Amino acid sequence: MKKVMVMTGLILSSGFQAKAVNDSMDVSNTFNGMLLDDCDACGCAAGNGSSGFESLLNPQFIGIKYFAQHYKAKENLFVKDLTQDQYFNTLQLWGKIPLMKKLSIYAGLPFHFHEKNTQQGDIRINGIGDLNLMGIYQIVNSKDNVHQLNGGLGIKVPLGKFDEKGISGVNPGFQLGTGSWDYQAALNYKFQKNKLAVLINTDYTIKTENKKHYQFGNQWNYAATGFYQITGNEKTILSAKAGLQGEIYATNRQYGEALPRTSGSSLYGKLGFEASYKRFSLGSELMLPAYSGLAGGDIEAESRFSIFLNIGI
């Protein structure tokens, strides 16, 4: 089943219209990054992966993206080894629409289908996740387009189901949603010169207490990604990318009390590509952990994979 999910993702998921390329590279049209990867939920680690928002600079688009995460977790408190496989899969509809010259709005609606393998049998949950909405504003754009700085403010609407029983497991983030209204702020800086570009992204999510009196810890994501244009013409562009991405999770709380072994951090290395043909673009990314310190060692990051397909509007 998991192989079927991945193959389905390979067929799916960015969108922009390629411009003529001479000796330089237009990042705004060649790099459709990950814009707040919503895996949505929740708390320390599993289920809440993000790679910042690297597509601030792209024109308007609508598209679909598949995002998969794999973690190892302790089966229970009496087991020392990390024996439980946890798979978080998300299929997301997303889009970015300009409102004014410097102001755009981003929206992303995910559908999750998660699975974990336990000694009592496999547990699966699936359904709609939390809706992400963000306003994106261009703060700086140098005359030669070498430097660009963008910022965003957003909100996460709790459409996904929060299951109170799920917080009793090793990973309370095995959820469809946080059950809370959460708030986001993000910054994106781009340096571009000829066929090379560097994007530095950071975003922070403030998570509030939900109706079940549970509050997932705030989350800080950061990433640095380098791009190189391999080839390009008036219709087609192909670029490779590589970089690092980190995530830091604060402690979860219940009825205002801090919960032990719920904070943590992780660092990933990533490789990928992005390609465009006319109004269509396709991209993929593989991430492997360089460091994993999640839930006091009770959860270990294994891998992440994403692929997206968009069309310019």
Side-chain angles (χ1 to χ4, degrees):
M1 181 64 181
K2 290 185 274 294
K3 291 183 179 178
V4 174
M5 292 175 181
V6 173
M7 291 305 296
T8 302
L10 288 171
I11 302 172
L12 299 172
S13 205
S14 151
F16 49 89
Q17 186 173 358
K19 292 182 180 179
V21 175
N22 297 315
D23 295 329
S24 64
M25 172 178 62
D26 186 348
V27 175
S28 66
N29 280 317
T30 59
F31 299 137
N32 239 10
M34 295 304 165
L35 246 177
L36 291 176
D37 274 341
D38 175 35
C39 281
D40 201 348
C42 294
C44 180
N48 202 15
S50 174
S51 58
F53 54 79
E54 299 176 357
S55 53
L56 279 175
L57 312 178
N58 296 314
Q60 61 268 35
F61 69 89
I62 56 172
I64 190 168
K65 185 177 70 172
Y66 171 78
F67 186 44
Q69 302 177 84
H70 178 203
Y71 296 89
K72 284 278 192 180
K74 283 188 176 182
E75 185 76 17
N76 54 58
L77 295 176
F78 306 102
V79 175
K80 182 179 179 180
D81 297 329
L82 303 176
T83 58
Q84 185 183 96
D85 287 297
Q86 298 186 348
Y87 300 92
F88 292 76
N89 300 277
T90 298
L91 198 60
Q92 176 171 270
L93 296 174
W94 62 348
K96 179 171 176 284
I97 301 172
L99 301 179
M100 293 182 241
K101 182 178 180 181
K102 293 186 176 184
L103 181 64
S104 300
I105 187 168
Y106 159 79
L109 181 64
F111 183 88
H112 303 302
F113 41 109
H114 302 334
E115 176 184 349
K116 61 181 178 180
N117 309 132
T118 72
Q119 293 177 349
Q120 291 74 36
D122 295 348
I123 298 175
R124 297 181 178 90
I125 58 174
N126 61 78
I128 193 171
D130 294 340
L131 172 67
N132 275 282
L133 297 171
M134 176 170 282
I136 300 169
Y137 185 77
Q138 184 182 92
I139 302 171
V140 175
N141 183 20
S142 62
K143 293 182 179 180
D144 52 6
N145 289 323
V146 172
H147 303 280
Q148 290 190 14
L149 178 66
N150 298 266
L153 292 174
I155 189 171
K156 186 174 66 59
V157 183
L159 300 183
K161 179 183 178 181
F162 171 78
D163 185 1
E164 193 173 9
K165 296 179 181 178
I167 62 177
S168 61
V170 173
N171 183 8
F174 191 78
Q175 303 277 352
L176 298 176
T178 61
S180 61
W181 291 83
D182 301 336
Y183 305 95
Q184 301 167 322
L187 281 175
N188 167 280
Y189 169 75
K190 181 210 75 175
F191 171 82
Q192 172 192 335
K193 191 71 173 179
N194 299 323
K195 295 186 176 183
L196 293 173
V198 175
L199 291 179
I200 299 174
N201 313 283
T202 184
D203 61 81
Y204 191 83
T205 301
I206 298 173
K207 302 175 186 179
T208 65
E209 185 178 85
N210 61 28
K211 293 181 179 179
K212 300 295 184 179
H213 304 286
Y214 196 90
Q215 181 177 355
F216 290 98
N218 295 346
Q219 180 179 347
W220 177 38
N221 303 310
Y222 57 93
T225 308
F227 296 83
Y228 180 76
Q229 181 183 303
I230 299 172
T231 184
N233 54 43
E234 292 184 357
K235 294 183 178 181
T236 306
I237 296 171
L238 175 63
S239 300
K241 61 180 179 178
L244 292 172
Q245 174 182 314
E247 299 164 3
I248 299 176
Y249 302 86
T251 300
N252 297 356
R253 294 180 177 272
Q254 190 169 25
Y255 290 97
E257 296 294 327
L259 299 175
R261 303 180 79 83
T262 55
S263 62
S265 61
S266 60
L267 179 67
Y268 293 84
K270 56 183 181 177
L271 290 172
F273 77 91
E274 295 182 10
S276 69
Y277 177 72
K278 294 185 177 179
R279 295 173 60 209
F280 297 90
S281 65
L282 173 72
S284 184
E285 191 172 81
L286 175 66
M287 299 173 59
L288 296 175
Y291 167 77
S292 177
L294 303 170
D298 290 345
I299 302 173
E300 183 178 280
E302 293 293 310
S303 63
R304 290 178 179 176
F305 170 79
S306 65
I307 189 165
F308 55 87
L309 176 65
N310 291 354
I311 182 171
I313 56 175

